[in-house]
Amino acid sequence: MNEQQQSLLVQSASRFPPPQGIKLSYGTAGFRADASILQSTVFRIGILAALRSLKTGGAVIGLMITASHNKVSDNGVKVADPAGEMLTQDWEPFADSVANAPDPESLIQLIADFAKKEDIPLNGSKGATVLLGRDTRPSGESLVEAAKQGICSVIGAVGIDIGVVTTPQLHWIVRARNKDSKPSASELDYFDQVSTSFRCLIDLIPNKSQHGIGKLIVDCANGVGGEKLQVLKQKLNWSDVEIRNSGEQGVLNEQVGADYVQKDKVAPQGFGPPDVGVRCASLDGDADRLVYFTIIPNGNNRINLVDGDKILSLFALFIKDQLSILTDYTNEYQPRVGVVQTAYANGASTKYLNQLGLHVIFTPTGVKYLHEKAHEFDIGIYFEANGHGTILFSNRFLRWLEDKKSTEKSLEKQNAAMRLWAVSKLINQAVGDALSGLLLVEAILQHMGWSVEKWNELYHDLPSRQLKVKVADRTAVVTTNAETIVEKPPGIQEAITALTVKYPQGRCFVRPSGTEDVVRVYAEARTQEAADELATSVAKLVDQFLGFHVGM
Ligand code: 16G
Ligand code: MG
């Protein structure tokens, strides 16, 4: 590192002292904490993002300020790699040490050592670009400013602020600028692409007039999804959608949004008896999660949840149908379709997907793991039960499809190829995206002529319960086998298994949260009472093994 670079870093770093006595971790999906302590972290991750751009030959890197479904006073920061995907896991330890360096001198030493090891040119000879986005949190603007200061303290690096966007939009734009050779790609291109491909799917519906599926109401978690869905609604002239909890009145993520609806299985605020019988959906605060639901009549706010597993099943079914129109056993190329889930996937969904003849794989929780696995297929469909997921298409498959679109003689096959092509354009290739996911669900339901009830009947969820336990140190829990088995502390897995086998169709696992200081418990069983009982007794067990005990 040359002297000019060194003094620039020293000067700017001293304006962003780290919070005392707090250890931050990049976690499952970036740093998250109370917004008031994040200035220094975000400044430093600005530096990291600039270094990442330098390392990747000047590719555009994304930096998103959001704490997703967490409370409005929290915020967070995460980095998107050139293909719009999550920051490579190799750099996470560096992110942790950068965020926790106690003073400017040690920070600069870390950067110098890392740049040397990674062969990153830190002499201003190369340019670097970082795109900055944020959700609607009030702390977002000043954190974007901190990130810019970090970026600018790397000579040759520029930060471009694209304002308030959904997390998936930022990832999409980063990808478009690098991979699709659209150096000036913006939110407008995103809206154009998703609306054009959605229209294409609708135009390809056979016997369209019979397929009205009625109104949709979307709970936007009082977050950024509201204003973006409004743009799509106008662009598509879509009168059948009503946007609620768009953020004009309520508080971000407070008793609203996909996380609340999915975990508590209740209707979000602003929904009630008049909405019985209507198809409803919920996005989370930064619009990367999507779930559907209907309100149970006289059900005291309870809902029928149509979660990420069911969205996955709908997508898988549609893709399988289109592929079976397009291919038969005589085809020399048979596209490989794979489905990726986590341990949170309802057992009934996995059974259903297996029955469809699909190859189902499990990974630990967190998009970065599912996304990576999904890449191993020609069509990789991944979803977490909480509503985060997408469909990835391989280049080889897309080339094959391109050829089929133009050379297939049968109109039916041509249309199937066009539909799959439109899906690949609609669904976000960088990361799970509630808005494009919502449009795909709507297009498929219209295609099938299905009500939400019909969709929900694909299979019946096993009753489940999720609980969380506050523990002294969540890192004491170490899991294996895609988080289904606890290795440490010793003895706890045997105790969990002994409880689980008592319940017909019982399944239970515990894992340390990657975003909160808790251990999570998931249980499912044949009845709700049994799932609740199993979850509660395992939560007690976790507390016995790891809880806060006086004198320990
Ligand atoms: C983050 C992850 C989500 C995961 C959740 C688990 C991304 C973009 N988001 O929100 O996929 O389900 O964390 O949280 O990866 P937990 O570790 O606190 O249970
Ligand atoms: Mg989110």
Side-chain angles (χ1 to χ4, degrees):
M1 182 184 311
N2 65 23
E3 234 169 75
Q4 191 195 357
Q5 176 64 83
Q6 193 157 344
S7 74
L8 186 59
L9 279 168
V10 173
Q11 269 171 33
S12 51
S14 50
R15 291 200 302 275
F16 292 93
Q20 294 303 302
I22 292 168
K23 190 164 184 303
L24 292 145
S25 150
Y26 196 80
T28 311
F31 295 99
R32 276 181 207 170
D34 191 276
S36 61
I37 62 160
L38 277 175
Q39 288 282 333
S40 145
T41 311
V42 171
F43 161 80
R44 291 165 176 210
I45 295 307
I47 300 176
L48 177 143
L51 297 180
R52 186 77 192 136
S53 176
L54 286 174
K55 169 78 189 181
T56 53
V60 177
I61 294 294
L63 187 153
M64 182 74 193
I65 303 291
T66 178
S68 182
H69 55 280
N70 295 104
K71 54 183 193 277
V72 64
S73 51
D74 284 354
N75 217 327
V77 56
K78 59 180 162 188
V79 175
D81 256 358
E85 298 168 346
M86 301 290 179
L87 173 70
T88 174
Q89 290 170 48
D90 304 349
W91 276 44
E92 288 181 8
F94 178 57
D96 285 345
S97 13
V98 159
N100 293 304
D103 47 54
E105 291 68 34
S106 44
L107 173 68
I108 285 147
Q109 191 57 50
L110 265 172
I111 294 171
D113 293 348
F114 187 74
K116 193 161 172 215
K117 183 178 123 237
E118 293 279 328
D119 207 9
I120 298 172
L122 264 185
N123 49 19
S125 63
K126 294 263 158 52
T129 309
V130 181
L131 277 195
L132 300 141
R134 63 184 161 95
D135 69 14
T136 52
R137 288 177 157 78
S139 54
E141 229 173 315
S142 82
L143 288 172
V144 162
E145 203 37 56
K148 272 193 203 157
Q149 300 281 321
I151 297 161
C152 295
S153 50
V154 175
I155 299 171
V158 286
I160 304 172
D161 183 0
I162 61 166
V164 173
V165 284
T166 70
T167 298
Q169 281 183 317
L170 178 80
H171 286 262
W172 188 96
I173 296 168
V174 166
R175 182 181 173 88
R177 290 197 179 202
N178 295 311
K179 284 209 91 159
D180 304 339
S181 315
K182 290 185 191 143
S184 58
S186 72
E187 203 188 20
L188 299 178
D189 300 282
Y190 170 90
F191 287 128
D192 275 347
Q193 183 167 318
V194 297
S195 52
T196 310
S197 45
F198 174 72
R199 266 200 221 101
C200 174
L201 282 170
I202 299 296
D203 290 344
L204 287 164
I205 295 177
N207 311 321
K208 225 176 322 190
S209 57
Q210 300 165 13
H211 287 179
I213 55 163
K215 181 175 160 182
L216 165 73
I217 311 175
V218 187
D219 153 38
C220 295
N222 292 320
V224 55
E227 63 182 85
K228 305 305 177 188
L229 184 56
Q230 187 59 40
V231 177
L232 284 170
K233 177 179 167 153
Q234 271 163 3
K235 245 182 130 55
L236 290 165
N237 210 354
W238 187 9
S239 55
D240 267 355
V241 64
E242 183 187 330
I243 300 174
R244 281 201 198 151
N245 300 333
S246 60
E248 274 143 33
Q249 282 162 10
V251 180
L252 176 72
N253 297 331
E254 204 167 284
Q255 298 192 352
V256 290
D259 191 63
Y260 174 71
V261 167
Q262 189 250 347
K263 288 225 174 78
D264 291 7
K265 299 204 185 97
V266 290
Q269 250 182 24
F271 286 68
D275 305 316
V276 168
V278 182
R279 191 168 72 259
C280 303
S282 254
L283 323 178
D284 76 336
D286 62 336
D288 63 358
R289 288 194 199 175
L290 169 71
V291 295
Y292 273 71
F293 62 94
T294 55
I295 304 217
I296 297 178
N298 306 316
N300 214 356
N301 234 16
R302 283 183 310 121
I303 56 165
N304 288 311
L305 177 69
V306 186
D307 64 2
D309 301 338
K310 230 160 225 160
I311 298 176
L312 163 61
S313 303
L314 182 73
F315 289 178
L317 184 67
F318 180 74
I319 285 185
K320 210 175 164 274
D321 280 357
Q322 300 311 310
L323 274 180
S324 65
I325 298 175
L326 206 51
T327 57
D328 56 45
Y329 66 93
T330 59
N331 281 75
E332 73 287 10
Y333 169 57
Q334 296 288 337
R336 289 182 64 234
V337 184
V339 171
V340 190
Q341 299 193 300
T342 72
Y344 285 112
N346 196 281
S349 74
T350 311
K351 196 169 158 196
Y352 172 77
L353 292 161
N354 279 323
Q355 277 164 1
L356 279 185
L358 291 164
H359 187 58
V360 186
I361 303 177
F362 288 85
T363 70
T365 302
V367 169
K368 57 192 175 194
Y369 303 115
L370 290 108
H371 193 91
E372 197 177 22
K373 262 285 167 231
H375 263 315
E376 293 177 9
F377 299 90
D378 287 310
I379 305 178
I381 316 172
Y382 72 85
F383 258 89
E384 293 188 317
N386 64 24
H388 194 131
T390 193
I391 311 172
L392 301 184
F393 294 87
S394 72
N395 287 335
R396 178 172 185 208
F397 177 73
L398 291 175
R399 279 196 302 273
W400 177 79
L401 211 50
E402 185 92 62
D403 180 58
K404 286 270 164 199
K405 269 194 326 172
S406 48
T407 57
E408 265 305 338
K409 304 255 170 345
S410 115
L411 185 62
E412 207 199 353
K413 289 192 176 193
Q414 233 178 59
N415 283 347
M418 295 277 283
R419 286 189 196 103
L420 289 171
W421 181 258
V423 172
S424 80
K425 291 287 173 197
L426 171 55
I427 203 82
N428 199 318
Q429 294 300 288
V431 78
D433 179 349
L435 294 178
S436 68
L438 180 108
L439 290 181
L440 184 56
V441 168
E442 292 298 307
I444 297 177
L445 290 180
Q446 282 195 45
H447 179 95
M448 311 273 214
W450 279 8
S451 65
V452 62
E453 287 82 12
K454 175 99 200 266
W455 169 25
N456 205 17
E457 287 289 314
L458 280 182
Y459 59 84
H460 294 279
D461 275 328
L462 277 168
S464 67
R465 178 62 62 205
Q466 286 193 50
L467 295 174
K468 55 181 176 183
V469 187
K470 280 212 176 302
V471 295
D473 175 16
R474 69 180 150 142
T475 61
V477 179
V478 179
T479 63
T480 181
N481 268 9
E483 300 179 318
T484 53
I485 305 282
V486 190
E487 277 184 334
K488 282 186 197 161
I492 191 167
Q493 183 58 54
E494 289 73 10
I496 295 172
T497 308
L499 285 169
T500 309
V501 293
K502 289 187 195 156
Y503 298 91
Q505 292 179 279
R507 186 170 71 89
C508 182
F509 65 90
V510 307
R511 54 174 281 276
S513 159
T515 64
E516 269 182 77
D517 226 355
V518 296
V519 168
R520 298 199 194 280
V521 177
Y522 175 91
E524 68 186 30
R526 196 161 61 199
T527 64
Q528 190 61 57
E529 293 67 35
D532 290 351
E533 209 178 284
L534 177 57
T536 311
S537 35
V538 170
K540 280 196 193 128
L541 202 69
V542 172
D543 188 55
Q544 278 162 21
F545 271 80
L546 294 147
F548 295 94
H549 299 294
V550 183
M552 283 180 73

